[in-house]
Amino acid sequence: LAPGGNSGNPIYDFFLGRELNPRICSFDFKYFCELRPGLIGWVLINLALLMQEAELRGSPSLAMWLVNGFQLLYVGDALWHEEAVLTTMDIIRDGFGFMLAFGDLAWVPFTYSLQAQFLLYHPEPLGLPLASVICLIKAVGYYIFRGANSQKNTFRKNPSDPRVADLETISTATGRRLLVSGWWGMVRHPNYLGDLIMALAWSLPCGVSHLLPYFYLLYFTALLVHREARDEQQCLQKYGLAWHAYCRRVPYRIVPYIY
Ligand SMILES: NC(=O)C1=CN([C@@H]2O[C@H](COP(=O)(O)OP(=O)(O)OC[C@H]3O[C@@H](n4cnc5c(N)ncnc54)[C@H](OP(=O)(O)O)[C@@H]3O)[C@@H](O)[C@H]2O)C=CC1
Ligand SMILES: CC(C)CCC[C@@H](C)[C@H]1CC=C2C3=C(CC[C@@]21C)[C@@]1(C)CC[C@H](O)C(C)(C)[C@@H]1CC3
């Protein structure tokens, strides 16, 4: 049973999921749904919207190309680094309840493709200079997101790997160490920061005339703030005093000097 989804409150447990890894033989429903149908469905919906725009207006707009390219990179990255999902709280702690079943299969493909849906009905002229700035924002976000996630994954797999061996760490009572320099010495969730910067770059090609393309950015900020609080609680339970020491050393959660 999932540690989080067995609180005794039936509504909460239905949302978070009672069973941790529902399986038939070796087929793990949660692991499959987390990465395959929703993410691939999202890319296919985006592509269909791009093709429909080409049919309507002769060719896809630059804004549509950017949104498609950025989100394809995000999904490609998730599939390329597939094994990293095994250490996320969704796989380790959360059950396969309404949140993940609905989230993976319906929420991700249909709401994450909102920017492309918006562009089909509200074409947005985008010049090359602004497009270059947006690409730069995406590149910075991706650099932080990938750098932080890879640094932690490499360290968790092999702390003496030369790419992470020189980083400063704090020892914990569990025998595991926490990184306190590199990306993880900047804020306590540098990967969330990179992800949020990328989310901004996905919305900007749609202009600023409407709030709808910014829905993902707003929802994602709320999701990550809540997720960060849940992770913080779990880390405090796991690492106790060492976690307090890490928080003193790295006081900001997601955005340096702000939050
Ligand atoms: N697009 C989307 O809808 C979503 C995207 N994401 C993205 O998924 C990715 C994974 O996120 P998530 O699973 O929430 O969390 P993280 O990848 O940030 O993992 C948190 C875990 O990392 C370990 N950790 C924390 N601090 C340190 C440190 N200083 N040194 C070493 N290990 C540390 C702890 O686990 P332990 O010590 O046990 O290893 C902690 O529980 C992120 O990039 C996030 O942005 C997440 C949710 C939704
Ligand atoms: C329905 C609710 C309002 C919210 C549902 C939340 C889910 C949609 C997200 C919870 C964690 C997720 C992750 C990804 C997609 C969204 C959900 C399922 C992820 C697969 C996206 C790609 C990333 O690279 C990742 C790190 C693999 C993500 C893992 C967490």
Side-chain angles (χ1 to χ4, degrees), residues 108-144:
V108 168
F110 293 106
T111 65
Y112 286 29
S113 56
L114 263 183
Q115 285 99 351
Q117 294 179 44
F118 177 86
L119 285 173
L120 187 66
Y121 300 106
H122 303 84
E124 188 64 34
L126 183 64
L128 269 184
L130 185 56
S132 314
V133 173
I134 296 173
C135 287
L136 188 68
I137 296 174
K138 168 73 187 182
V140 170
Y142 183 69
Y143 180 69
I144 300 176

CSV table of all heavy atoms in Angstrom, one decimal, residues 108-144:
chain,number,residue,atom,x,y,z
A,108,VAL,N,-2.4,15.6,-18.5
A,108,VAL,CA,-1.2,16.0,-19.3
A,108,VAL,C,-1.5,16.2,-20.7
A,108,VAL,O,-1.2,17.3,-21.3
A,108,VAL,CB,-0.1,14.9,-19.0
A,108,VAL,CG1,1.1,15.1,-20.0
A,108,VAL,CG2,0.4,15.0,-17.6
A,109,PRO,N,-2.0,15.2,-21.5
A,109,PRO,CA,-2.2,15.5,-22.9
A,109,PRO,C,-3.1,16.7,-23.3
A,109,PRO,O,-2.8,17.4,-24.2
A,109,PRO,CB,-2.7,14.2,-23.5
A,109,PRO,CG,-3.2,13.4,-22.3
A,109,PRO,CD,-2.5,13.9,-21.1
A,110,PHE,N,-4.2,16.9,-22.5
A,110,PHE,CA,-5.2,17.9,-22.9
A,110,PHE,C,-4.9,19.3,-22.4
A,110,PHE,O,-5.2,20.2,-23.0
A,110,PHE,CB,-6.6,17.4,-22.6
A,110,PHE,CG,-7.0,16.2,-23.5
A,110,PHE,CD1,-7.0,15.0,-22.9
A,110,PHE,CD2,-7.2,16.4,-24.8
A,110,PHE,CE1,-7.3,13.9,-23.7
A,110,PHE,CE2,-7.5,15.3,-25.6
A,110,PHE,CZ,-7.5,14.0,-25.1
A,111,THR,N,-4.3,19.4,-21.2
A,111,THR,CA,-4.0,20.7,-20.7
A,111,THR,C,-2.6,21.2,-21.0
A,111,THR,O,-2.3,22.4,-21.2
A,111,THR,CB,-4.3,20.9,-19.2
A,111,THR,OG1,-3.3,20.1,-18.5
A,111,THR,CG2,-5.6,20.6,-18.8
A,112,TYR,N,-1.6,20.2,-21.1
A,112,TYR,CA,-0.3,20.6,-21.4
A,112,TYR,C,-0.2,21.1,-22.9
A,112,TYR,O,0.8,21.7,-23.3
A,112,TYR,CB,0.7,19.5,-21.1
A,112,TYR,CG,1.0,19.3,-19.6
A,112,TYR,CD1,0.0,19.6,-18.7
A,112,TYR,CD2,2.2,18.8,-19.2
A,112,TYR,CE1,0.3,19.4,-17.3
A,112,TYR,CE2,2.5,18.6,-17.8
A,112,TYR,CZ,1.5,18.9,-16.9
A,112,TYR,OH,1.7,18.7,-15.6
A,113,SER,N,-1.1,20.8,-23.7
A,113,SER,CA,-1.1,21.2,-25.1
A,113,SER,C,-1.9,22.5,-25.3
A,113,SER,O,-2.2,22.9,-26.5
A,113,SER,CB,-1.6,20.1,-26.0
A,113,SER,OG,-3.0,19.7,-25.6
A,114,LEU,N,-2.3,23.1,-24.2
A,114,LEU,CA,-3.1,24.4,-24.3
A,114,LEU,C,-2.5,25.4,-25.2
A,114,LEU,O,-3.2,26.1,-25.9
A,114,LEU,CB,-3.4,24.9,-23.0
A,114,LEU,CG,-4.7,24.6,-22.3
A,114,LEU,CD1,-4.9,25.3,-21.0
A,114,LEU,CD2,-5.9,24.9,-23.2
A,115,GLN,N,-1.2,25.6,-25.1
A,115,GLN,CA,-0.5,26.7,-25.9
A,115,GLN,C,-0.7,26.5,-27.4
A,115,GLN,O,-1.1,27.4,-28.1
A,115,GLN,CB,1.0,26.8,-25.6
A,115,GLN,CG,1.3,27.4,-24.2
A,115,GLN,CD,1.6,26.4,-23.2
A,115,GLN,OE1,1.4,25.2,-23.4
A,115,GLN,NE2,2.0,26.8,-22.0
A,116,ALA,N,-0.5,25.2,-27.8
A,116,ALA,CA,-0.7,24.9,-29.3
A,116,ALA,C,-2.2,25.1,-29.7
A,116,ALA,O,-2.5,25.6,-30.7
A,116,ALA,CB,-0.2,23.5,-29.6
A,117,GLN,N,-3.1,24.7,-28.8
A,117,GLN,CA,-4.5,24.8,-29.0
A,117,GLN,C,-4.9,26.3,-29.2
A,117,GLN,O,-5.6,26.7,-30.1
A,117,GLN,CB,-5.4,24.2,-27.9
A,117,GLN,CG,-5.2,22.7,-27.8
A,117,GLN,CD,-6.1,22.2,-26.6
A,117,GLN,OE1,-7.2,22.5,-26.5
A,117,GLN,NE2,-5.5,21.3,-25.9
A,118,PHE,N,-4.3,27.1,-28.3
A,118,PHE,CA,-4.6,28.6,-28.3
A,118,PHE,C,-4.1,29.2,-29.6
A,118,PHE,O,-4.8,30.0,-30.3
A,118,PHE,CB,-3.8,29.2,-27.1
A,118,PHE,CG,-3.9,30.7,-27.1
A,118,PHE,CD1,-5.0,31.3,-26.5
A,118,PHE,CD2,-3.0,31.5,-27.6
A,118,PHE,CE1,-5.2,32.7,-26.4
A,118,PHE,CE2,-3.1,32.9,-27.6
A,118,PHE,CZ,-4.2,33.5,-27.0
A,119,LEU,N,-2.9,28.8,-30.0
A,119,LEU,CA,-2.3,29.4,-31.3
A,119,LEU,C,-3.1,29.1,-32.5
A,119,LEU,O,-3.1,29.9,-33.5
A,119,LEU,CB,-0.8,28.9,-31.5
A,119,LEU,CG,0.2,29.5,-30.5
A,119,LEU,CD1,1.5,28.8,-30.7
A,119,LEU,CD2,0.3,31.0,-30.8
A,120,LEU,N,-3.8,27.9,-32.5
A,120,LEU,CA,-4.6,27.6,-33.7
A,120,LEU,C,-5.7,28.6,-33.9
A,120,LEU,O,-6.1,28.9,-35.0
A,120,LEU,CB,-5.1,26.1,-33.5
A,120,LEU,CG,-5.9,25.6,-34.7
A,120,LEU,CD1,-4.9,25.4,-35.9
A,120,LEU,CD2,-6.5,24.2,-34.4
A,121,TYR,N,-6.3,29.0,-32.7
A,121,TYR,CA,-7.5,29.9,-32.8
A,121,TYR,C,-7.1,31.4,-32.7
A,121,TYR,O,-7.9,32.2,-33.0
A,121,TYR,CB,-8.5,29.5,-31.8
A,121,TYR,CG,-9.0,28.1,-32.0
A,121,TYR,CD1,-8.6,27.1,-31.2
A,121,TYR,CD2,-9.8,27.8,-33.1
A,121,TYR,CE1,-9.0,25.8,-31.4
A,121,TYR,CE2,-10.2,26.5,-33.3
A,121,TYR,CZ,-9.8,25.5,-32.5
A,121,TYR,OH,-10.2,24.2,-32.7
A,122,HIS,N,-5.9,31.6,-32.1
A,122,HIS,CA,-5.5,33.0,-32.0
A,122,HIS,C,-4.0,33.2,-32.5
A,122,HIS,O,-3.1,33.2,-31.8
A,122,HIS,CB,-5.4,33.4,-30.5
A,122,HIS,CG,-6.7,33.3,-29.8
A,122,HIS,ND1,-7.1,32.1,-29.3
A,122,HIS,CD2,-7.7,34.1,-29.5
A,122,HIS,CE1,-8.3,32.2,-28.7
A,122,HIS,NE2,-8.7,33.4,-28.9
A,123,PRO,N,-3.9,33.2,-33.9
A,123,PRO,CA,-2.6,33.3,-34.4
A,123,PRO,C,-1.8,34.5,-33.9
A,123,PRO,O,-2.3,35.5,-33.7
A,123,PRO,CB,-2.8,33.4,-35.9
A,123,PRO,CG,-4.2,33.7,-36.1
A,123,PRO,CD,-5.0,33.3,-34.9
A,124,GLU,N,-0.5,34.2,-33.6
A,124,GLU,CA,0.3,35.2,-32.9
A,124,GLU,C,1.5,35.5,-33.8
A,124,GLU,O,2.4,34.7,-33.9
A,124,GLU,CB,0.7,34.7,-31.5
A,124,GLU,CG,1.4,35.7,-30.6
A,124,GLU,CD,0.5,36.9,-30.2
A,124,GLU,OE1,-0.7,36.7,-30.1
A,124,GLU,OE2,1.1,38.0,-30.1
A,125,PRO,N,1.6,36.7,-34.4
A,125,PRO,CA,2.8,37.0,-35.2
A,125,PRO,C,4.0,37.2,-34.3
A,125,PRO,O,3.9,37.8,-33.2
A,125,PRO,CB,2.4,38.4,-35.9
A,125,PRO,CG,1.3,38.9,-35.1
A,125,PRO,CD,0.6,37.9,-34.3
A,126,LEU,N,5.1,36.5,-34.7
A,126,LEU,CA,6.3,36.5,-33.8
A,126,LEU,C,7.5,36.8,-34.7
A,126,LEU,O,7.8,36.1,-35.6
A,126,LEU,CB,6.4,35.1,-33.1
A,126,LEU,CG,7.5,34.9,-32.1
A,126,LEU,CD1,7.3,35.8,-30.9
A,126,LEU,CD2,7.5,33.4,-31.7
A,127,GLY,N,8.2,37.9,-34.3
A,127,GLY,CA,9.4,38.2,-35.1
A,127,GLY,C,10.6,37.4,-34.6
A,127,GLY,O,10.6,36.9,-33.5
A,128,LEU,N,11.6,37.5,-35.5
A,128,LEU,CA,12.9,36.7,-35.1
A,128,LEU,C,13.5,37.2,-33.9
A,128,LEU,O,14.0,36.3,-33.1
A,128,LEU,CB,13.8,36.7,-36.3
A,128,LEU,CG,13.7,35.6,-37.3
A,128,LEU,CD1,14.8,35.7,-38.4
A,128,LEU,CD2,13.7,34.2,-36.6
A,129,PRO,N,13.7,38.5,-33.6
A,129,PRO,CA,14.4,38.9,-32.4
A,129,PRO,C,13.7,38.4,-31.1
A,129,PRO,O,14.3,37.8,-30.3
A,129,PRO,CB,14.3,40.4,-32.4
A,129,PRO,CG,14.0,40.8,-33.9
A,129,PRO,CD,13.3,39.6,-34.5
A,130,LEU,N,12.3,38.5,-31.1
A,130,LEU,CA,11.6,38.0,-29.9
A,130,LEU,C,11.7,36.5,-29.8
A,130,LEU,O,11.9,35.9,-28.7
A,130,LEU,CB,10.1,38.5,-29.9
A,130,LEU,CG,9.3,38.1,-28.7
A,130,LEU,CD1,10.0,38.7,-27.4
A,130,LEU,CD2,7.9,38.6,-28.8
A,131,ALA,N,11.6,35.8,-31.0
A,131,ALA,CA,11.7,34.4,-31.0
A,131,ALA,C,13.1,33.9,-30.4
A,131,ALA,O,13.2,33.0,-29.7
A,131,ALA,CB,11.6,33.8,-32.4
A,132,SER,N,14.2,34.7,-30.8
A,132,SER,CA,15.5,34.4,-30.3
A,132,SER,C,15.6,34.5,-28.7
A,132,SER,O,16.2,33.7,-28.1
A,132,SER,CB,16.6,35.2,-30.9
A,132,SER,OG,16.4,35.3,-32.2
A,133,VAL,N,14.9,35.6,-28.2
A,133,VAL,CA,15.0,35.8,-26.8
A,133,VAL,C,14.2,34.6,-26.1
A,133,VAL,O,14.7,34.1,-25.1
A,133,VAL,CB,14.3,37.1,-26.4
A,133,VAL,CG1,14.2,37.3,-24.9
A,133,VAL,CG2,15.1,38.3,-27.0
A,134,ILE,N,13.1,34.2,-26.7
A,134,ILE,CA,12.3,33.1,-26.1
A,134,ILE,C,13.2,31.8,-26.1
A,134,ILE,O,13.2,31.0,-25.1
A,134,ILE,CB,11.0,32.9,-26.8
A,134,ILE,CG1,10.1,34.2,-26.6
A,134,ILE,CG2,10.2,31.7,-26.3
A,134,ILE,CD1,8.8,34.2,-27.4
A,135,CYS,N,13.9,31.6,-27.2
A,135,CYS,CA,14.7,30.4,-27.3
A,135,CYS,C,15.8,30.4,-26.2
A,135,CYS,O,16.2,29.4,-25.6
A,135,CYS,CB,15.4,30.3,-28.7
A,135,CYS,SG,14.2,29.8,-30.0
A,136,LEU,N,16.3,31.6,-26.0
A,136,LEU,CA,17.4,31.8,-25.0
A,136,LEU,C,16.8,31.4,-23.6
A,136,LEU,O,17.4,30.7,-22.8
A,136,LEU,CB,17.9,33.2,-25.0
A,136,LEU,CG,19.1,33.4,-24.1
A,136,LEU,CD1,20.3,32.7,-24.7
A,136,LEU,CD2,19.4,34.9,-24.0
A,137,ILE,N,15.6,31.9,-23.3
A,137,ILE,CA,14.9,31.6,-22.0
A,137,ILE,C,14.8,30.1,-21.9
A,137,ILE,O,15.1,29.5,-20.8
A,137,ILE,CB,13.6,32.3,-21.9
A,137,ILE,CG1,13.8,33.8,-21.9
A,137,ILE,CG2,12.8,31.9,-20.6
A,137,ILE,CD1,12.6,34.7,-21.9
A,138,LYS,N,14.3,29.5,-23.0
A,138,LYS,CA,14.1,28.0,-22.9
A,138,LYS,C,15.4,27.3,-22.7
A,138,LYS,O,15.5,26.4,-21.9
A,138,LYS,CB,13.5,27.6,-24.3
A,138,LYS,CG,13.5,26.0,-24.5
A,138,LYS,CD,12.5,25.3,-23.7
A,138,LYS,CE,12.7,23.8,-23.8
A,138,LYS,NZ,11.7,23.0,-23.1
A,139,ALA,N,16.5,27.8,-23.3
A,139,ALA,CA,17.8,27.1,-23.2
A,139,ALA,C,18.3,27.3,-21.8
A,139,ALA,O,18.9,26.3,-21.2
A,139,ALA,CB,18.8,27.7,-24.2
A,140,VAL,N,18.1,28.4,-21.2
A,140,VAL,CA,18.6,28.6,-19.8
A,140,VAL,C,17.8,27.7,-18.9
A,140,VAL,O,18.4,27.0,-18.0
A,140,VAL,CB,18.4,30.1,-19.3
A,140,VAL,CG1,18.6,30.3,-17.8
A,140,VAL,CG2,19.3,31.0,-20.1
A,141,GLY,N,16.5,27.6,-19.1
A,141,GLY,CA,15.7,26.8,-18.2
A,141,GLY,C,16.1,25.3,-18.4
A,141,GLY,O,16.2,24.6,-17.4
A,142,TYR,N,16.3,24.9,-19.6
A,142,TYR,CA,16.7,23.5,-19.8
A,142,TYR,C,18.0,23.2,-19.2
A,142,TYR,O,18.2,22.1,-18.7
A,142,TYR,CB,16.6,23.2,-21.3
A,142,TYR,CG,16.9,21.7,-21.6
A,142,TYR,CD1,16.0,20.7,-21.3
A,142,TYR,CD2,18.1,21.3,-22.2
A,142,TYR,CE1,16.3,19.4,-21.5
A,142,TYR,CE2,18.4,20.0,-22.4
A,142,TYR,CZ,17.5,19.0,-22.1
A,142,TYR,OH,17.8,17.7,-22.3
A,143,TYR,N,18.9,24.1,-19.3
A,143,TYR,CA,20.3,23.9,-18.8
A,143,TYR,C,20.2,23.7,-17.3
A,143,TYR,O,20.9,22.8,-16.8
A,143,TYR,CB,21.1,25.2,-19.2
A,143,TYR,CG,22.5,25.2,-18.7
A,143,TYR,CD1,23.5,24.3,-19.3
A,143,TYR,CD2,23.0,26.0,-17.6
A,143,TYR,CE1,24.8,24.3,-18.8
A,143,TYR,CE2,24.3,26.0,-17.2
A,143,TYR,CZ,25.2,25.1,-17.8
A,143,TYR,OH,26.5,25.1,-17.4
A,144,ILE,N,19.4,24.5,-16.6
A,144,ILE,CA,19.3,24.3,-15.2
A,144,ILE,C,18.6,23.0,-14.8
A,144,ILE,O,19.0,22.2,-14.0
A,144,ILE,CB,18.5,25.5,-14.5
A,144,ILE,CG1,19.3,26.9,-14.8
A,144,ILE,CG2,18.3,25.4,-13.0
A,144,ILE,CD1,18.5,28.1,-14.4
